[in-house]
Every structure is written in structure tokens, then in C-alpha cells.
């Protein structure tokens, strides 16, 4: 059975933190559109420049660009057993585009889709975003408030430099929340109506959320 997971949640709700753990344990590729787009921006390509003009304003990057990136990624061999989508789809339009992509690539394959929604209050989220640091080498995610390292500038896993994302300012975070509530939250109803949605309390601590997440994964998905 091909295992397909989608994670929906506001900025800073912990999608990246949890999906990285799940990806490692389940040995499934973690496909995070935000990181794929940041790589495109760093490459200096025309698509990257276009993406950046939306990302720095907390808006969604145009669907044509995101759909191409996602389809190319899902067609790679490592997705044959399944995948974890973090931050995609992010609008009804993208959800319908994903339906079409999956219909095409899952033809004649038995697959099961589960959607997880991370629910958490906005005050907690702003605090998490302004305190987030990511490793510039391995992408590990830290929270300045809860990390126990003496040197808060270096990654404990690989020694890489810890950096702050350009869109993690209060000003851009506000715009990202507006975009999320207007364009992404309607997906909660869409997937709930389809009977695919599980809601998780994402205000808890990281390990408790991960245990709840694993407990909510349908058993046949392990087979
Ligand atoms: P993206 O990079 O996907 O950002 P996001 O959705 O805003 O989500 P974040 O990565 O900010 O948060 P997260 O939920 O992953 O939280 P994390 O685990 O890091 O997208 C960036 C931009 O790219 C978008 O604004 C858009 O422009 C564009 N884009 C992306 N996808 C697109 C798409 N499909 N279509 C169009 N445009 C797209 O955790 C946050 C912090 O909290 C960390 O410091 C972490 O250590 C800490 N933390 C996590 N969990 C806990 C916990 N339980 N307790 C305490 N601290 C915690």
C-alpha cells in the first residue's frame, strides 16, 4: 500500500518539525514546498526571483510554478512507496491540482491518503516563528526558547551555522497568517468532508504531538 500524507497548519505550527521525524522513521521522502522554493530562490533562477517576490510578502507563489515543482518531485522513484507533503496543497485550487496529479501517477496503484491538521493559537505561533533558527547545512529546526545548547549559533547535529529565515519577522508573519486563514484553512473542511482529516493539538510539546500523530496513523498504512 502506497502511503501518502498531507500536513496542513498555520505558519509555525510545527509541520516541519514533525514531518522530518516521521520521514526518518517511516523512510518516506519529506516534500516541503517552502524549502524547495527557498532552494529555487538561492539558485538565482528566474523562477526563484519570481517566487521570492511572493515569499517576502507572505503570499502564495503562483500555482503554475508550485504544481510543476510538486509534480516533478512526486514522479521521482523515491516516492513510489509514498511521501509526506508538508505545506502543499495550500489552497482549494492547489488541492484540485493535486487530485489530478495523484490520479495520474497512482493509476493502477493501491494508495491511501491521510491528512493531518495542526491546530494551535496564533499567539504561540508568532512566538515560535520569531524564535525559530534553522541549520544552513542540514535544515534541522530549533526554537531559541527551548533549545538547550550553550552555543546557539551552531547546529548540534552537523555543526552548521544556525540562521533566521527572512520571512520570520513579525511583519511578514502577519501577512503569512492572513494568507493562511484566507486561502489554506478552507482545506480543513474539504478534507474533513472527504473523511480524510485528523486534527491534532499542536500546542503540546514536540514529543507528545509526535506520539499522538503516530497513534492517529491508520494501521494499514504501516503495511
Ligand atoms: P513554508 O516554509 O512552508 O512556511 P510555513 O507554512 O509558513 O510554515 P513554517 O515552515 O513557517 O512552519 P512549520 O509549521 O513548518 O513549523 P516548524 O516545524 O518550523 O513556506 C514559506 C513560504 O513559501 C510561504 O509563505 C509561501 O510564500 C511559499 N510557499 C510554500 N508552499 C507553498 C505552496 N504550496 N504554494 C504557494 N506558495 C508556497 O516550527 C516552527 C518553530 O516552532 C521552530 O522553531 C520549532 O523548533 C518550534 N516548534 C515546533 N513545534 C513546537 C512545539 N510543539 N513546541 C514548541 N516549539 C515548537
Amino acid at each position: 500500500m502506497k502511503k501518502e500524507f498531507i500536513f496542513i497548519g498555520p505558519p509555525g505550527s510545527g509541520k516541519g518539525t514533525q514531518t522530518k521525524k516521521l520521514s526518518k522513521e517511516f523512510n518516506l521522502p519529506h516534500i516541503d514546498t517552502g524549502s524547495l522554493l527557498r532552494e529555487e530562490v538561492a539558485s538565482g533562477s528566474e523562477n526563484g526571483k519570481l517566487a521570492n517576490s511572493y515569499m517576502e510578502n507572505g503570499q502564495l507563489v503562483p500555482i503554475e510554478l508550485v504544481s510543476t515543482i510538486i509534480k516533478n518531485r512526486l514522479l521521482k522513484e523515491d516516492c513510489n512507496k509514498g511521501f509526506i507533503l508538508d505545506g502543499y496543497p495550500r489552497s482549494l485550487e492547489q488541492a484540485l491540482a493535486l487530485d489530478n496529479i495523484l490520479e495520474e501517477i497512482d493509476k493502477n496503484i493501491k494508495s491511501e491518503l491521510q491528512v493531518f491538521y495542526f491546530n494551535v493559537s496564533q499567539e504561540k505561533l508568532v512566538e515560535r516563528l520569531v524564535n525559530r533558527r534553522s541549520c544552513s547545512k542540514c535544515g534541522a529546526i530549533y526554537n531559541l526558547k527551548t533549545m538547550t545548547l550553550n552555543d546557539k549559533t551552531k547546529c548540534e547535529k552537523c555543526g552548521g551555522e544556525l540562521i533566521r529565515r527572512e520571512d520570520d519577522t513579525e511583519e511578514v508573519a502577519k501577512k503569512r497568517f492572513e494568507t493562511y486563514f484566507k486561502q489554506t484553512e478552507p482545506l480543513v473542511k474539504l478534507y474533513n468532508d472527504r473523511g480524510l482529516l485528523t486534527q491534532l493539538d499542536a500546542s503540546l510539546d514536540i514529543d507528545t504531538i509526535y506520539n499522538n500523530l503516530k497513534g492517529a496513523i491508520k494501521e494499514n498504512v504501516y503495511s
Side-chain angles (χ1 to χ4, degrees), residues 1 15 20 28 42 51 57 59 67-68 74-75 88 92 94-95 100 103 124 144 149 157 161 163 175 179 216:
M1 174 76 75
K15 303 180 296 296
K20 279 185 179 161
L28 287 176
N57 286 309
Q59 295 166 330
S67 294
T68 308
L74 294 180
L75 281 169
Y88 178 89
L92 288 171
Q94 288 187 10
N100 291 331
E103 207 176 293
K124 272 206 177 180
L144 277 186
L149 300 179
K157 294 178 181 133
E161 187 198 352
I163 51 168
K175 292 187 188 153
T179 305

Side-chain angles (χ1 to χ4, degrees), residues 52-200:
N52 198 37
S53 64
Y54 290 86
M55 292 168 81
E56 64 189 8
N57 286 309
Q59 295 166 330
L60 295 188
V61 170
I63 186 166
E64 298 75 21
L65 179 52
V66 178
S67 294
T68 308
I69 290 177
I70 279 290
K71 188 167 179 190
N72 290 340
R73 183 65 189 86
L74 294 180
L75 281 169
K76 290 200 175 157
E77 209 183 326
D78 66 341
C79 291
N80 286 350
K81 282 197 320 189
F83 49 79
I84 298 168
L85 288 177
D86 166 5
Y88 178 89
R90 257 182 222 240
S91 64
L92 288 171
E93 201 187 10
Q94 288 187 10
L96 299 180
L98 178 64
D99 287 346
N100 291 331
I101 295 173
L102 293 183
E103 207 176 293
E104 194 183 321
I105 63 178
D106 284 350
K107 228 187 283 165
N108 309 321
I109 295 176
K110 252 187 132 186
S111 62
E112 175 142 38
L113 176 67
Q114 257 197 289
V115 182
F116 293 99
Y117 163 51
F118 283 5
N119 195 5
V120 55
S121 76
Q122 200 170 327
E123 302 88 78
K124 272 206 177 180
L125 295 174
V126 177
E127 193 187 297
R128 283 187 192 174
L129 288 177
V130 297
N131 286 298
R132 171 169 48 194
R133 294 295 180 272
S134 319
C135 175
S136 55
K137 256 166 85 181
C138 74
I141 305 167
Y142 295 92
N143 180 336
L144 277 186
K145 282 258 171 106
T146 55
M147 71 195 280
T148 49
L149 300 179
N150 288 332
D151 183 354
K152 298 196 174 187
T153 63
K154 294 265 182 300
C155 175
E156 70 172 337
K157 294 178 181 133
C158 74
E161 187 198 352
L162 296 187
I163 51 168
R164 182 179 186 184
R165 263 173 50 178
E166 281 182 20
D167 58 352
D168 276 348
T169 60
E170 269 193 57
E171 194 195 341
V172 183
K174 239 171 114 185
K175 292 187 188 153
R176 287 161 63 199
F177 288 124
E178 279 169 25
T179 305
Y180 171 79
F181 288 114
K182 208 162 133 194
Q183 295 184 258
T184 311
E185 212 166 63
L187 295 183
V188 173
K189 180 173 180 336
L190 175 86
Y191 287 119
N192 193 39
D193 288 350
R194 291 185 184 181
L196 299 173
L197 193 90
T198 302
Q199 176 168 242
L200 293 169

Side-chain angles (χ1 to χ4, degrees), residues 16-26 206-207 210:
T17 302
Q18 299 294 335
T19 48
K20 279 185 179 161
K21 277 162 89 79
L22 197 67
S23 161
K24 221 168 156 189
E25 186 170 337
F26 277 52
I206 292 172
D207 290 340
Y210 190 62

Side-chain angles (χ1 to χ4, degrees), residues 8 36 56 70 195 209:
I8 300 171
L36 292 173
E56 64 189 8
I70 279 290
I209 298 169

